[in-house]
């Protein structure tokens, strides 16, 4: 395999830039390498291409990524507004006629990617994480597309697009990307929904044990993944009354869903597909209890005990036993790694019994508040919720965690009402965790997809609109879900509005146009890459993305610019 292209440049200069971090609490430093390449109109240079330069250590080459390039002419170096206009015009006319290798060059700006390449006669070529200072004046070489592909991509990866300017397929380890969570970040109109639907489609095709749940507040994914809903055992879940028949289903569903302009000629096909979805009995009406979650969580139990301690009408002699109960629960939570938002279950019975026995030994009266409180909690734990025929959050969670081959694999939960969507999300995540903890299994792997994530995990939360509950639940999913094979994919247009604890848990970022500097700076800091490279996303066309992944989707965490496959092309083929 040829490692480098024939053309070579030379490292002329290294510049160091320091700026405040996005949150203003510190500073961050970036290196920019300036490389001179011979002038040529056919030279194969573009942002995202990889370069290698000799370093201080023998047989070790620092790997860099091009962020920008600019053709320069020797005659223009000192030309500015102080030169008389007639002379300026004459110089520029001559420059226009003399763009050639002897009088011009191409100035390339590149940033280190955090790797160096080691060439060994016995072991061959290997890439090592780290930085070794390069030698100024040394030759700079351009990686061939074959070397680029071998360095970054998994050979057996899942194709999701084409690398820009390299003519190679972008293949990612989608299983690993899902395991460490995925974020899709771009402004409105950049193709977030198309990419999210494509990732879901490829994941369902390549990971047999995967189940996907999409919380859809935009009413678009039932169309974008309509063929998957038809082909797979699936559920389209709504909070509205179900249609009465196939005809009613087709008319209502096509009226209430967003149809991309590219599919306008397929509206009749989509209506018939919705009718078929109804006849396959894949529609469900989700019942959401008006009081929210019917379950008591440890955080609520702790608050109840504290209120008993602070109640001035509770006898002083009983308060030490409530304090003792708090200590027992704290001990239990530490031992069992229980979180405040976990549901109270049989694990707490031993703590209740211990305190109850000590209170009796101390001669506390039977009708005292401590015994009444403990009895009430025991009754709550032992109660069985009444059986219902309604398709509720519990039934949804049971279907999601069902490992049988006949169980549904794709669930699209539609709720245009954001308050209801947040409540459903928090309740569903709590149910999935509770059931996985009670009966642990690595199958199925579960992926929860949240579009418009800024509505579910905002930086500032409120209890009234359930944003506090949904934010805590999603944070729990991304922090602790991996060990229970519960994973997340979030999509949003503003990182600034997100819970920062959630952003830190995501290992794979797909980034397109983000107009606000804060968002771009935050991504640059997260992956330690140059601002100038992330700023290139401002020039992206619809469907063009930059992927950055920390030991997940790619073999090495190097930014890759690519054009995503169009999800609608595959959908149109299936709708014909």
């Amino acid at each position: 395999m040829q490692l480098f292209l024939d053309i070579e440049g030379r490292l002329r200069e290294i510049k160091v830039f320091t700026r405040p971090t996005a949150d203003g609490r510190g500073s961050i430093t970036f290196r920019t390498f300036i490389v001179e390449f011979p002038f040529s109109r056919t030279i194969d240079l573009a942002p995202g291409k990889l370069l290698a330069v000799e370093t201080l250590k023998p047989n070790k080459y620092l790997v860099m990524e091009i962020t920008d390039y600019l053709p320069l002419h020797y005659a223009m170096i000192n030309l500015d507004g102080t030169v008389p206009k007639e002379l300026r015009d004459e110089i520029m006319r001559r420059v226009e006629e003399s763009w050639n290798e002897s009088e011009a060059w191409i100035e390339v700006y590149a940033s280190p990617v955090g790797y160096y390449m080691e060439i060994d006669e016995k072991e061959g070529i290997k890439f090592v994480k780290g930085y070794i200072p390069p030698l100024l004046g040394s030759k700079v070489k351009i990686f061939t597309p074959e070397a680029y592909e071998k360095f970054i991509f998994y050979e057996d990866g899942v194709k999701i697009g084409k690398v820009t300017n390299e003519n190679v397929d972008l293949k990612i380890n989608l299983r690993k990307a899902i395991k460490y969570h995925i974020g899709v970040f771009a402004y409105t109109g950049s193709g977030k929904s198309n990419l999210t639907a494509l990732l879901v489609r490829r994941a369902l095709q390549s990971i047999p044990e995967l189940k996907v749940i999409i919380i859809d507040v935009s009413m678009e994914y039932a169309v974008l993944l309509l063929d998957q809903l038809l082909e797979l055992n699936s559920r389209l879940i709504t909070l509205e009354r179900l249609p009465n028949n196939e005809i009613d289903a087709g008319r209502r569903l096509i009226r209430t869903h967003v149809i991309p302009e590219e599919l306008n000629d397929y509206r009749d096909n989509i209506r018939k597909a919705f009718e078929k979805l109804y006849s396959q009995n894949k529609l469900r009406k989700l019942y959401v209890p008006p009081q929210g979650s019917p379950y008591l969580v440890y955080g609520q139990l702790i608050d109840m005990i504290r209120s008993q301690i602070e109640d001035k009408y509770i006898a002083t002699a009983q308060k030490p036993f409530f304090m003792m109960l708090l200590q027992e629960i704290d001990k239990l939570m530490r031992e069992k790694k229980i979180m405040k938002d976990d549901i109270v279950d049989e694990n707490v019975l031993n703590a209740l019994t211990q305190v109850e026995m000590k209170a009796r030994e101390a001669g506390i009266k039977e009708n005292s508040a401590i015994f009444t409180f403990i009895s009430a909690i025991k009754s709550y734990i032992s109660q069985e919720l009444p059986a219902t025929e309604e398709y509720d959050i519990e039934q949804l969670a049971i279907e999601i965690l069902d490992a049988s081959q006949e169980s549904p694999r794709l669930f699209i939960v539609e709720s245009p009402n954001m308050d209801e969507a947040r409540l459903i999300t928090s309740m569903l995540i709590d149910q999935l965790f509770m059931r996985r903890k009670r009966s642990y299994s690595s199958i199925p792997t579960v992926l929860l997809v949240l579009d418009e994530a800024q509505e579910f995990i905002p930086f500032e939360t409120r209890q009234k609109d359930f944003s506090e509950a949904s934010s805590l639940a999603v944070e729990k999913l991304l922090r602790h879900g991996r060990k229970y094979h519960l994973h997340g994919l979030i999509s949003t247009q503003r990182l600034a509005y997100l819970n920062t604890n959630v952003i830190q848990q995501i290992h794979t970022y797909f980034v397109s146009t983000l107009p606000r500097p804060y968002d771009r700076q935050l991504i640059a800091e997260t992956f330690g890459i140059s601002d100038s490279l992330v700023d290139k996303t401002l020039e992206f066309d619809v469907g063009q993305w930059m992927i950055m992944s920390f030991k997940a989707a790619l073999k090495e965490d190097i930014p890759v610019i690519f054009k995503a496959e169009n999800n609608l092309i595959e959908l149109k083929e299936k709708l014909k």
Side-chain angles (χ1 to χ4, degrees), residues 232-280:
L232 302 173
N233 196 349
S234 59
R235 295 281 182 265
L236 178 58
I237 301 166
T238 177
L239 274 65
E240 304 295 329
R241 178 180 58 84
L242 292 179
N244 296 319
N245 52 58
E246 289 182 23
I247 304 300
D248 185 24
R251 289 173 178 170
R252 188 198 299 184
L253 292 175
I254 200 167
R255 187 176 65 246
T256 56
H257 284 80
V258 176
I259 310 293
E261 289 184 16
E262 201 172 328
L263 294 178
N264 275 338
D265 294 339
Y266 290 79
R267 294 182 72 88
D268 194 50
N269 305 67
I270 294 170
R271 180 184 56 77
K272 290 177 181 177
F274 278 138
E275 290 176 3
K276 188 175 181 182
L277 206 61
Y278 178 88
S279 65
Q280 291 178 344

Side-chain angles (χ1 to χ4, degrees), residues 332-440:
L332 170 68
M333 292 177 73
R334 289 173 185 271
E335 289 177 352
K336 300 282 188 180
K337 309 292 185 197
I338 293 171
M339 309 296 293
K340 280 189 175 182
D341 48 358
D342 285 340
I343 295 170
V344 175
D345 55 14
E346 294 86 355
N347 284 317
V348 81
L349 288 175
N350 186 53
L352 295 171
T353 303
Q354 290 283 343
V355 175
E356 187 177 33
M357 289 172 60
K358 289 177 181 178
R360 292 189 194 283
E361 291 171 3
I364 301 295
K365 294 180 181 179
E366 284 294 329
N367 62 348
S368 297
I370 184 69
F371 293 127
T372 305
F373 182 85
I374 290 173
S375 177
I377 300 300
K378 284 184 172 180
S379 297
Y380 164 79
I381 293 170
S382 62
Q383 74 167 342
E384 291 186 8
L385 292 176
T388 175
E389 294 183 1
E390 299 278 3
Y391 188 84
D392 56 12
I393 298 291
E394 185 175 14
Q395 183 60 37
L396 173 58
I398 290 171
E399 280 199 322
I400 291 170
L401 295 179
D402 186 352
S404 66
Q405 294 287 335
E406 301 76 26
S407 62
R409 291 190 61 206
L410 174 61
F411 302 79
I412 300 179
V413 182
E414 299 181 332
S415 174
N417 184 301
M418 277 309 314
D419 290 359
E420 288 180 335
R422 294 188 195 104
L423 178 60
I424 291 167
T425 301
S426 62
M427 291 173 64
L428 178 59
I429 291 173
D430 288 342
Q431 270 284 332
L432 293 173
F433 267 91
M434 181 189 72
R435 294 183 175 278
R436 266 281 155 91
K437 287 179 178 180
R438 284 182 174 177
S439 179
Y440 181 82

